[in-house]
Amino acid sequence: MAETNKKMQVLQAIVDDYVSTNEPVGSKALIERHKFSVSSATLRNDMADLERMGYIEKPHTSAGRIPSDKGYREYVNSLMKVDTLTLEEKNEIESRISDSVDNFRSILKNASMTLSETTGLVSLVMTPRLADSSLKQLKILMIEPGKALLVMVLSAGVVKDKVVRIPNFITPEQLMQIANSVEKTLNGKPLEEISLITLATSVKDTDIPESLLNQVIYETYTAIKQADQLDVYLEGEHKMLSLPDFQELTRARDLLGALSHDGVVAGYVNEIGRDNDSDSYMIRIGQEITLEGLEDCSFITTTYKFGDTISGNIGVIGPKRMDYSKVISQIDFVRSKLNQELKKINE
Protein backbone atom coordinates (compact mmCIF):
# COMPACT_ATOMS: atom_id res chain seq x y z
CA MET A 1 0.00 0.00 0.00
CA ALA A 2 2.83 2.39 0.94
CA GLU A 3 4.55 1.61 -2.37
CA THR A 4 1.34 2.37 -4.28
CA ASN A 5 0.84 5.62 -2.39
CA LYS A 6 4.39 6.68 -3.23
CA LYS A 7 3.79 6.06 -6.92
CA MET A 8 0.56 8.07 -6.76
CA GLN A 9 2.47 10.93 -5.17
CA VAL A 10 4.87 10.81 -8.11
CA LEU A 11 1.93 10.80 -10.54
CA GLN A 12 0.38 13.79 -8.78
CA ALA A 13 3.66 15.67 -9.02
CA ILE A 14 3.99 14.86 -12.73
CA VAL A 15 0.46 16.11 -13.45
CA ASP A 16 0.98 19.29 -11.41
CA ASP A 17 4.28 20.04 -13.11
CA TYR A 18 3.05 19.33 -16.62
CA VAL A 19 -0.05 21.49 -16.07
CA SER A 20 2.09 24.43 -14.94
CA THR A 21 4.99 24.12 -17.40
CA ASN A 22 3.66 22.30 -20.50
CA GLU A 23 7.03 20.54 -20.55
CA PRO A 24 7.56 16.77 -20.22
CA VAL A 25 8.66 15.98 -16.68
CA GLY A 26 11.91 14.18 -15.80
CA SER A 27 13.09 12.66 -12.53
CA LYS A 28 15.65 15.40 -11.91
CA ALA A 29 13.01 18.13 -12.17
CA LEU A 30 10.71 16.21 -9.81
CA ILE A 31 13.41 15.97 -7.15
CA GLU A 32 14.25 19.68 -7.47
CA ARG A 33 10.64 20.89 -7.34
CA HIS A 34 9.07 18.45 -4.91
CA LYS A 35 11.93 17.46 -2.60
CA PHE A 36 11.33 13.72 -2.93
CA SER A 37 13.57 12.02 -0.38
CA VAL A 38 14.70 9.31 -2.79
CA SER A 39 17.44 9.01 -5.36
CA SER A 40 16.94 9.93 -8.98
CA ALA A 41 17.33 6.23 -9.85
CA THR A 42 14.50 5.23 -7.48
CA LEU A 43 12.29 7.94 -8.93
CA ARG A 44 13.05 6.75 -12.46
CA ASN A 45 11.96 3.25 -11.41
CA ASP A 46 8.68 4.64 -10.04
CA MET A 47 8.14 6.51 -13.29
CA ALA A 48 8.86 3.36 -15.29
CA ASP A 49 6.24 1.52 -13.22
CA LEU A 50 3.72 4.33 -13.79
CA GLU A 51 4.43 4.12 -17.52
CA ARG A 52 3.89 0.34 -17.54
CA MET A 53 0.61 0.89 -15.66
CA GLY A 54 -0.49 3.35 -18.35
CA TYR A 55 -0.59 6.48 -16.18
CA ILE A 56 2.17 8.38 -17.97
CA GLU A 57 3.67 8.25 -21.45
CA LYS A 58 6.74 9.41 -23.27
CA PRO A 59 6.44 11.97 -26.08
CA HIS A 60 8.51 11.10 -29.11
CA THR A 61 10.79 14.12 -28.86
CA SER A 62 11.59 14.17 -25.13
CA ALA A 63 13.17 12.12 -22.40
CA GLY A 64 10.56 13.31 -19.90
CA ARG A 65 7.04 11.97 -19.33
CA ILE A 66 3.57 13.45 -19.58
CA PRO A 67 0.28 12.21 -18.09
CA SER A 68 -1.86 9.89 -20.21
CA ASP A 69 -5.65 10.08 -20.31
CA LYS A 70 -5.64 7.33 -17.66
CA GLY A 71 -3.23 9.37 -15.54
CA TYR A 72 -5.41 12.46 -15.70
CA ARG A 73 -8.42 10.31 -14.81
CA GLU A 74 -6.67 8.90 -11.73
CA TYR A 75 -5.63 12.42 -10.78
CA VAL A 76 -9.14 13.93 -10.90
CA ASN A 77 -10.74 10.87 -9.28
CA SER A 78 -8.32 10.30 -6.40
CA LEU A 79 -5.48 12.80 -6.10
CA MET A 80 -6.85 16.26 -6.80
CA LYS A 81 -7.81 18.71 -4.07
CA VAL A 82 -10.21 21.43 -5.21
CA ASP A 83 -8.74 24.92 -4.94
CA THR A 84 -10.17 27.70 -2.80
CA LEU A 85 -10.70 31.02 -4.59
CA THR A 86 -9.27 34.17 -3.07
CA LEU A 87 -11.58 36.97 -1.94
CA GLU A 88 -10.35 39.07 -4.86
CA GLU A 89 -11.23 36.31 -7.35
CA LYS A 90 -14.68 35.92 -5.82
CA ASN A 91 -15.33 39.66 -5.90
CA GLU A 92 -14.35 39.87 -9.57
CA ILE A 93 -16.72 37.04 -10.53
CA GLU A 94 -19.51 38.50 -8.41
CA SER A 95 -19.21 41.94 -10.01
CA ARG A 96 -19.26 40.48 -13.54
CA ILE A 97 -22.31 38.32 -12.87
CA SER A 98 -24.25 41.14 -11.19
CA ASP A 99 -23.81 43.30 -14.32
CA SER A 100 -26.43 41.16 -16.11
CA VAL A 101 -29.57 42.69 -17.52
CA ASP A 102 -32.41 41.27 -15.46
CA ASN A 103 -33.66 38.65 -17.92
CA PHE A 104 -33.04 34.95 -18.35
CA ARG A 105 -31.01 34.91 -21.57
CA SER A 106 -28.87 37.88 -20.60
CA ILE A 107 -27.99 36.25 -17.28
CA LEU A 108 -26.95 32.98 -18.97
CA LYS A 109 -24.88 34.75 -21.61
CA ASN A 110 -23.15 36.90 -18.99
CA ALA A 111 -22.40 33.82 -16.87
CA SER A 112 -20.79 32.17 -19.90
CA MET A 113 -18.67 35.26 -20.65
CA THR A 114 -17.66 35.51 -16.98
CA LEU A 115 -16.62 31.87 -16.83
CA SER A 116 -14.53 32.16 -20.00
CA GLU A 117 -12.79 35.31 -18.75
CA THR A 118 -12.16 33.72 -15.36
CA THR A 119 -10.75 30.41 -16.60
CA GLY A 120 -9.17 31.55 -19.86
CA LEU A 121 -10.90 28.60 -21.53
CA VAL A 122 -14.00 27.95 -23.62
CA SER A 123 -17.13 28.27 -21.49
CA LEU A 124 -20.42 26.55 -22.06
CA VAL A 125 -23.80 27.51 -20.56
CA MET A 126 -26.93 25.77 -21.84
CA THR A 127 -30.56 26.63 -21.39
CA PRO A 128 -32.49 24.29 -19.08
CA ARG A 129 -34.10 21.09 -20.23
CA LEU A 130 -37.75 22.08 -20.25
CA ALA A 131 -39.57 18.89 -21.26
CA ASP A 132 -40.74 18.37 -17.68
CA SER A 133 -41.94 21.95 -17.27
CA SER A 134 -45.55 22.84 -17.96
CA LEU A 135 -47.47 25.56 -19.73
CA LYS A 136 -48.64 28.42 -17.50
CA GLN A 137 -49.63 31.19 -19.89
CA LEU A 138 -50.07 31.59 -23.64
CA LYS A 139 -50.51 34.85 -25.54
CA ILE A 140 -50.86 35.31 -29.31
CA LEU A 141 -50.45 38.96 -30.26
CA MET A 142 -51.15 40.34 -33.74
CA ILE A 143 -48.16 42.06 -35.34
CA GLU A 144 -49.69 42.60 -38.77
CA PRO A 145 -52.01 40.64 -41.06
CA GLY A 146 -50.43 37.22 -41.56
CA LYS A 147 -47.96 37.54 -38.66
CA ALA A 148 -48.26 37.25 -34.86
CA LEU A 149 -46.03 36.96 -31.78
CA LEU A 150 -46.67 33.82 -29.73
CA VAL A 151 -45.50 34.12 -26.11
CA MET A 152 -45.36 31.18 -23.69
CA VAL A 153 -44.69 31.37 -19.96
CA LEU A 154 -43.58 28.02 -18.53
CA SER A 155 -43.73 26.69 -14.99
CA ALA A 156 -40.00 27.29 -14.54
CA GLY A 157 -40.55 31.00 -15.08
CA VAL A 158 -38.94 30.80 -18.53
CA VAL A 159 -40.53 32.95 -21.22
CA LYS A 160 -40.32 31.69 -24.80
CA ASP A 161 -41.53 33.67 -27.79
CA LYS A 162 -41.73 33.07 -31.52
CA VAL A 163 -43.02 34.99 -34.53
CA VAL A 164 -45.56 32.76 -36.31
CA ARG A 165 -47.55 32.83 -39.53
CA ILE A 166 -51.32 33.21 -39.18
CA PRO A 167 -54.21 33.46 -41.66
CA ASN A 168 -54.48 36.94 -43.18
CA PHE A 169 -58.11 37.35 -42.21
CA ILE A 170 -58.00 36.26 -38.57
CA THR A 171 -58.64 39.05 -36.05
CA PRO A 172 -56.77 39.98 -32.85
CA GLU A 173 -59.87 39.03 -30.88
CA GLN A 174 -59.95 35.56 -32.43
CA LEU A 175 -56.23 35.08 -31.63
CA MET A 176 -56.92 36.05 -28.02
CA GLN A 177 -59.82 33.59 -27.89
CA ILE A 178 -57.63 30.75 -29.18
CA ALA A 179 -54.84 31.56 -26.70
CA ASN A 180 -57.26 31.77 -23.77
CA SER A 181 -58.83 28.41 -24.65
CA VAL A 182 -55.45 26.69 -24.95
CA GLU A 183 -54.19 28.24 -21.71
CA LYS A 184 -57.34 27.33 -19.76
CA THR A 185 -57.38 23.72 -20.98
CA LEU A 186 -53.65 22.92 -20.91
CA ASN A 187 -52.49 24.98 -17.94
CA GLY A 188 -50.15 22.79 -15.86
CA LYS A 189 -49.73 20.14 -18.55
CA PRO A 190 -46.08 19.09 -19.18
CA LEU A 191 -44.75 20.21 -22.57
CA GLU A 192 -43.85 16.67 -23.58
CA GLU A 193 -47.48 15.61 -23.13
CA ILE A 194 -48.93 18.34 -25.37
CA SER A 195 -49.76 16.96 -28.82
CA LEU A 196 -51.42 18.36 -31.91
CA ILE A 197 -54.56 16.46 -30.90
CA THR A 198 -54.67 17.93 -27.38
CA LEU A 199 -54.26 21.42 -28.82
CA ALA A 200 -57.04 20.89 -31.35
CA THR A 201 -59.30 19.52 -28.61
CA SER A 202 -58.63 22.54 -26.40
CA VAL A 203 -60.18 24.94 -28.95
CA LYS A 204 -63.03 22.75 -30.25
CA ASP A 205 -65.67 24.80 -28.42
CA THR A 206 -64.68 28.13 -30.01
CA ASP A 207 -66.85 29.58 -32.80
CA ILE A 208 -63.82 30.29 -35.01
CA PRO A 209 -63.93 28.68 -38.48
CA GLU A 210 -61.76 25.56 -38.78
CA SER A 211 -59.96 27.02 -41.80
CA LEU A 212 -58.61 29.79 -39.54
CA LEU A 213 -58.01 27.58 -36.50
CA ASN A 214 -55.87 24.90 -38.14
CA GLN A 215 -52.89 27.05 -39.05
CA VAL A 216 -52.81 28.82 -35.66
CA ILE A 217 -52.97 25.49 -33.82
CA TYR A 218 -50.20 24.00 -35.95
CA GLU A 219 -47.94 27.04 -35.38
CA THR A 220 -48.68 26.88 -31.63
CA TYR A 221 -47.81 23.18 -31.55
CA THR A 222 -44.51 23.81 -33.38
CA ALA A 223 -43.61 26.63 -30.99
CA ILE A 224 -44.33 24.47 -27.93
CA LYS A 225 -42.17 21.63 -29.25
CA GLN A 226 -39.34 24.01 -30.10
CA ALA A 227 -39.45 25.50 -26.60
CA ASP A 228 -37.49 22.52 -25.31
CA GLN A 229 -34.66 22.96 -27.80
CA LEU A 230 -31.34 23.57 -26.10
CA ASP A 231 -29.72 26.95 -26.67
CA VAL A 232 -26.01 27.09 -25.95
CA TYR A 233 -23.83 30.07 -25.07
CA LEU A 234 -20.27 29.22 -26.06
CA GLU A 235 -17.62 31.84 -25.30
CA GLY A 236 -13.85 32.11 -25.63
CA GLU A 237 -13.01 29.86 -28.58
CA HIS A 238 -10.16 32.23 -29.49
CA LYS A 239 -8.65 31.82 -26.02
CA MET A 240 -7.84 28.18 -26.74
CA LEU A 241 -5.80 29.14 -29.80
CA SER A 242 -3.42 31.14 -27.61
CA LEU A 243 -2.58 28.05 -25.54
CA PRO A 244 0.57 26.09 -26.45
CA ASP A 245 -1.55 22.91 -26.64
CA PHE A 246 -3.19 24.16 -29.85
CA GLN A 247 -0.34 25.90 -31.65
CA GLU A 248 -0.14 23.03 -34.13
CA LEU A 249 -2.27 23.95 -37.15
CA THR A 250 -4.06 20.60 -37.41
CA ARG A 251 -5.06 20.61 -33.75
CA ALA A 252 -6.28 24.21 -33.95
CA ARG A 253 -8.32 23.49 -37.09
CA ASP A 254 -9.88 20.35 -35.59
CA LEU A 255 -10.74 22.22 -32.39
CA LEU A 256 -12.41 25.15 -34.15
CA GLY A 257 -14.24 22.80 -36.49
CA ALA A 258 -15.72 20.89 -33.55
CA LEU A 259 -16.65 24.01 -31.59
CA SER A 260 -18.36 25.55 -34.62
CA HIS A 261 -21.06 22.87 -34.28
CA ASP A 262 -22.26 24.19 -30.95
CA GLY A 263 -25.57 22.34 -31.26
CA VAL A 264 -23.69 19.02 -31.48
CA VAL A 265 -21.58 19.96 -28.45
CA ALA A 266 -24.71 20.96 -26.51
CA GLY A 267 -26.46 17.71 -27.41
CA TYR A 268 -23.44 15.70 -26.27
CA VAL A 269 -23.16 17.50 -22.94
CA ASN A 270 -26.90 17.18 -22.38
CA GLU A 271 -26.84 13.45 -23.10
CA ILE A 272 -23.95 12.56 -20.82
CA GLY A 273 -25.07 14.95 -18.09
CA ARG A 274 -28.64 13.68 -17.71
CA ASP A 275 -27.90 11.55 -14.65
CA ASN A 276 -25.75 14.11 -12.85
CA ASP A 277 -27.12 15.31 -9.54
CA SER A 278 -27.00 19.03 -8.86
CA ASP A 279 -23.78 18.98 -6.83
CA SER A 280 -21.61 16.65 -8.90
CA TYR A 281 -19.23 17.31 -11.75
CA MET A 282 -19.09 15.44 -15.01
CA ILE A 283 -15.50 15.26 -16.28
CA ARG A 284 -14.57 13.73 -19.64
CA ILE A 285 -10.91 13.53 -20.62
CA GLY A 286 -9.35 13.06 -24.04
CA GLN A 287 -10.42 9.81 -25.66
CA GLU A 288 -13.44 9.64 -23.32
CA ILE A 289 -14.94 12.43 -25.45
CA THR A 290 -16.66 10.92 -28.45
CA LEU A 291 -16.79 14.12 -30.50
CA GLU A 292 -14.38 14.30 -33.43
CA GLY A 293 -11.87 17.13 -33.06
CA LEU A 294 -11.98 17.28 -29.25
CA GLU A 295 -9.71 14.31 -28.49
CA ASP A 296 -7.08 16.65 -27.04
CA CYS A 297 -9.58 18.36 -24.75
CA SER A 298 -11.36 17.83 -21.46
CA PHE A 299 -14.92 18.74 -20.50
CA ILE A 300 -15.89 19.79 -16.99
CA THR A 301 -19.60 20.43 -16.56
CA THR A 302 -22.12 20.60 -13.77
CA THR A 303 -25.70 21.82 -13.41
CA TYR A 304 -27.25 25.07 -12.33
CA LYS A 305 -30.78 25.34 -10.96
CA PHE A 306 -33.70 27.37 -12.23
CA GLY A 307 -36.65 26.81 -9.96
CA ASP A 308 -37.15 23.65 -7.95
CA THR A 309 -37.10 21.08 -10.76
CA ILE A 310 -35.45 22.66 -13.81
CA SER A 311 -31.70 22.55 -14.41
CA GLY A 312 -29.24 23.38 -17.16
CA ASN A 313 -25.56 22.72 -17.78
CA ILE A 314 -22.60 24.98 -17.13
CA GLY A 315 -18.93 24.17 -17.65
CA VAL A 316 -15.76 24.58 -19.65
CA ILE A 317 -13.89 22.95 -22.50
CA GLY A 318 -10.13 23.15 -22.20
CA PRO A 319 -6.94 21.22 -22.92
CA LYS A 320 -6.31 17.97 -21.07
CA ARG A 321 -3.48 19.90 -19.45
CA MET A 322 -5.82 22.20 -17.55
CA ASP A 323 -5.65 23.10 -13.87
CA TYR A 324 -8.61 20.90 -12.90
CA SER A 325 -8.71 21.90 -9.24
CA LYS A 326 -8.68 25.63 -10.04
CA VAL A 327 -11.19 25.35 -12.88
CA ILE A 328 -13.66 23.35 -10.78
CA SER A 329 -13.55 25.98 -8.02
CA GLN A 330 -14.16 28.72 -10.61
CA ILE A 331 -17.10 26.86 -12.19
CA ASP A 332 -18.55 26.22 -8.75
CA PHE A 333 -18.50 29.88 -7.74
CA VAL A 334 -19.88 31.10 -11.08
CA ARG A 335 -22.63 28.49 -10.77
CA SER A 336 -23.57 29.63 -7.26
CA LYS A 337 -23.84 33.24 -8.42
CA LEU A 338 -25.82 32.19 -11.49
CA ASN A 339 -28.24 30.29 -9.26
CA GLN A 340 -28.71 33.41 -7.13
CA GLU A 341 -29.42 35.64 -10.13
CA LEU A 342 -31.88 33.17 -11.62
CA LYS A 343 -33.65 32.81 -8.29
CA LYS A 344 -34.29 36.56 -8.25
CA ILE A 345 -36.13 36.53 -11.58
CA ASN A 346 -38.01 33.35 -10.69
CA GLU A 347 -39.48 34.74 -7.45
Side-chain angles (χ1 to χ4, degrees):
M1 180 64 73
E3 186 67 21
T4 301
N5 288 341
K6 184 162 71 74
K7 287 183 174 58
M8 290 300 102
Q9 289 173 9
V10 174
L11 174 61
Q12 182 172 4
I14 291 171
V15 174
D16 288 339
D17 279 9
Y18 186 60
V19 164
S20 63
T21 67
N22 193 38
E23 294 290 338
V25 182
S27 57
K28 184 178 178 181
L30 284 176
I31 289 176
E32 290 175 351
R33 291 175 188 146
H34 299 276
K35 312 301 182 187
F36 282 109
S37 56
V38 295
S39 68
S40 183
T42 300
L43 206 51
R44 282 196 297 272
N45 288 336
D46 288 336
M47 292 174 71
D49 288 340
L50 287 170
E51 188 172 0
R52 280 192 293 272
M53 296 161 71
Y55 289 118
I56 59 176
E57 55 194 21
K58 180 180 179 181
H60 296 301
T61 57
S62 172
R65 301 295 186 274
I66 65 174
S68 65
D69 288 2
K70 181 180 178 181
Y72 282 121
R73 171 53 62 192
E74 179 67 20
Y75 176 81
V76 299
N77 283 358
S78 306
L79 305 175
M80 174 184 69
K81 294 180 180 177
V82 176
D83 238 358
T84 300
L85 297 185
T86 65
L87 182 60
E88 183 181 357
E89 290 170 326
K90 290 180 178 180
N91 287 340
E92 182 177 351
I93 290 173
E94 200 158 7
S95 65
R96 287 177 178 273
I97 293 286
S98 62
D99 284 342
S100 300
V101 177
D102 194 18
N103 68 66
F104 179 68
R105 293 182 181 278
S106 172
I107 291 171
L108 294 189
K109 185 173 180 61
N110 198 27
S112 185
M113 293 175 64
T114 299
L115 189 55
S116 178
E117 289 296 325
T118 301
T119 61
L121 304 173
V122 175
S123 64
L124 174 105
V125 177
M126 288 161 46
T127 51
R129 297 177 288 274
L130 299 172
D132 294 333
S133 64
S134 56
L135 185 68
K136 285 183 67 176
Q137 296 179 17
L138 178 69
K139 306 295 179 189
I140 308 176
L141 309 172
M142 175 80 78
I143 298 174
E144 61 185 41
K147 188 184 294 184
L149 179 67
L150 190 149
V151 181
M152 290 174 290
V153 179
L154 308 180
S155 59
V158 176
V159 178
K160 292 274 187 171
D161 58 60
K162 182 186 179 186
V163 175
V164 298
R165 292 180 296 111
I166 55 173
N168 289 327
F169 302 110
I170 199 166
T171 67
E173 291 74 24
Q174 288 172 321
L175 289 176
M176 185 183 300
Q177 188 180 353
I178 293 170
N180 288 343
S181 294
V182 171
E183 182 182 311
K184 181 179 179 181
T185 307
L186 301 182
N187 183 282
K189 196 172 188 66
L191 296 188
E192 61 184 1
E193 294 181 15
I194 297 177
S195 68
L196 201 52
I197 294 174
T198 56
L199 279 170
T201 303
S202 72
V203 296
K204 64 182 175 58
D205 293 332
T206 64
D207 57 1
I208 302 170
E210 192 172 319
S211 58
L212 299 180
L213 269 177
N214 287 344
Q215 185 175 342
V216 178
I217 290 303
Y218 179 76
E219 291 285 349
T220 302
Y221 171 74
T222 302
I224 288 174
K225 291 307 168 186
Q226 289 178 346
D228 192 36
Q229 288 184 344
L230 293 169
D231 295 328
V232 57
Y233 300 95
L234 211 62
E235 298 285 343
E237 294 93 325
H238 64 285
K239 295 182 186 297
M240 294 278 273
L241 298 183
S242 66
L243 299 175
D245 312 72
F246 298 99
Q247 292 304 298
E248 185 183 310
L249 183 59
T250 302
R251 281 189 174 187
R253 186 178 62 237
D254 289 347
L255 173 71
L256 289 180
L259 295 179
S260 67
H261 301 293
D262 55 5
V264 175
V265 174
Y268 173 78
V269 172
N270 179 53
E271 193 63 34
I272 60 179
R274 281 184 184 276
D275 298 328
N276 262 21
D277 64 59
S278 59
D279 293 320
S280 67
Y281 284 84
M282 186 281 295
I283 302 176
R284 291 289 182 270
I285 299 168
Q287 297 301 318
E288 297 171 359
I289 301 172
T290 56
L291 292 180
E292 186 176 354
L294 297 179
E295 300 87 353
D296 294 312
C297 297
S298 288
F299 278 94
I300 304 179
T301 65
T302 186
T303 55
Y304 65 87
K305 297 289 288 183
F306 189 56
D308 295 330
T309 60
I310 305 300
S311 63
N313 291 102
I314 179 172
V316 301
I317 304 168
K320 292 189 289 186
R321 187 193 58 85
M322 72 164 76
D323 188 343
Y324 292 91
S325 61
K326 183 74 168 181
V327 170
I328 287 175
S329 66
Q330 291 165 327
I331 296 173
D332 192 57
F333 194 71
V334 171
R335 174 181 66 169
S336 71
K337 294 303 162 187
L338 174 59
N339 286 342
Q340 289 176 16
E341 293 299 315
L342 291 176
K343 186 177 180 181
K344 290 178 188 176
I345 68 170
N346 200 27
E347 289 174 341

